[in-house]
Amino acid sequence: MSAVTLHSVSSAGLEDVGVRARSPADFPDSPLARVLRQPFLLGLFLPIQNGGWSPSTLPRTTDWSFDYNVALTRKAEELGFDLVFGLAQWIGKGGYGGELRYRETTLDPFVTVAALSSVTSRILLISTIHILYGPWHPLHLAKFAASLDHISKGRFGLNVVTGYAPREPRMFGMTQIEHDERYTRSAEFAGMLERLWGASENVTVDGRYWRLEEAYVTPKPAYGRPILVNATGSPAGFAYAAAHSDLAFVTSPAGADIDAAIPALPDHIGALKAQARAVGREIRTIINPMIVCRPTEKEARDYHAAILAHADADAVRNFVAHHAAGDSRAWTNHRADHRVLGGNVQIIGSPEQVVEKLVALKATGIDGAQLTFFDFAPDLAFFGEAVLPLLKQAGLRL
């Protein structure tokens, strides 16, 4: 078997020499293409870390355990949700501290999603991974991801993240790589993945950061390649997403207040989609709303007030300091008090009010929402009962 030699590298990754795997969105019968027929995507951001998204001590069921997250994923699939995510982070003993020892205990999202593939049948499974930490090699991840794509019948995806916190790479004996350079390296990594998934012959690549010699991956993904996702808010991150990602997990440039976020999002989203179109691609965007919903606005506001009244002050302070020490461009203008509830944007109100805000998010150019809740199991069940039918009436769900 002869080799396909790829040797030229650009800032966007490997140049188009040889075979590049097609996006699963290009296959009409793929799981990704199926969910993209929805007017508005719905995802669930799984609480695989203790405390979920809210450093509050108000009693709740939310739990990091695998069994709890299996139950949530199955419920989301039953309700017709399109995808689930898991968070990736590397935190020392005590997590972010406080009474909760917030996020000290965390399941690995790559392993968790792999296990979820055997207990689900329809929902997309997106695994977050820091590809620049430790000795990851493109050949490792190309093989692992192709195997999971085969096991899940095309439902597996990779959320590629570069890491923004200086203390995380130190856990691997590394120093933090400069912000834009991280995306340059990630682009080369992604380019190699796409070549390995698409190549019908052995592949040799002499890259700037990684090398392949007579490398080959089977089984081939069912629909071109696994789903590719990244989370970003910076120009370098947008350039990476435009070149490689099917879905981009974006954040509000105006902070967590939904009424401030809505007018700020159209230009933000428009810039990313224009970059993708400039390189001949289409990209969909998703955002993370924290949903606090009750039958009436007063009940929702009272629920929200109770969450804030039980804030774990030390955990909140440490979490904010951790983010401030990094170089992320994605969470600017987010206030410390918003961290008690969590979420990138916060939607608080009755079912009708929640739908109104999700309709407004759709109008900004957002293609879907990756939902979080304070008390996941009962709050997700209420969302399915009270909000989902209204979303269908509003034309956001088929």
Side-chain angles (χ1 to χ4, degrees), residues 17 45 199 213 239 281 301:
V17 179
F45 218 153
E213 184 173 345
R281 303 187 68 249
R301 295 290 175 189

Side-chain angles (χ1 to χ4, degrees), residues 361-390:
L361 281 175
K362 168 70 175 175
T364 70
I366 291 288
D367 297 297
Q370 187 74 5
L371 305 182
T372 48
F373 300 97
F374 179 73
D375 195 354
F376 267 78
D379 290 353
L380 173 61
F382 182 73
F383 183 91
E385 172 190 333
V387 179
L388 196 53
L390 299 179

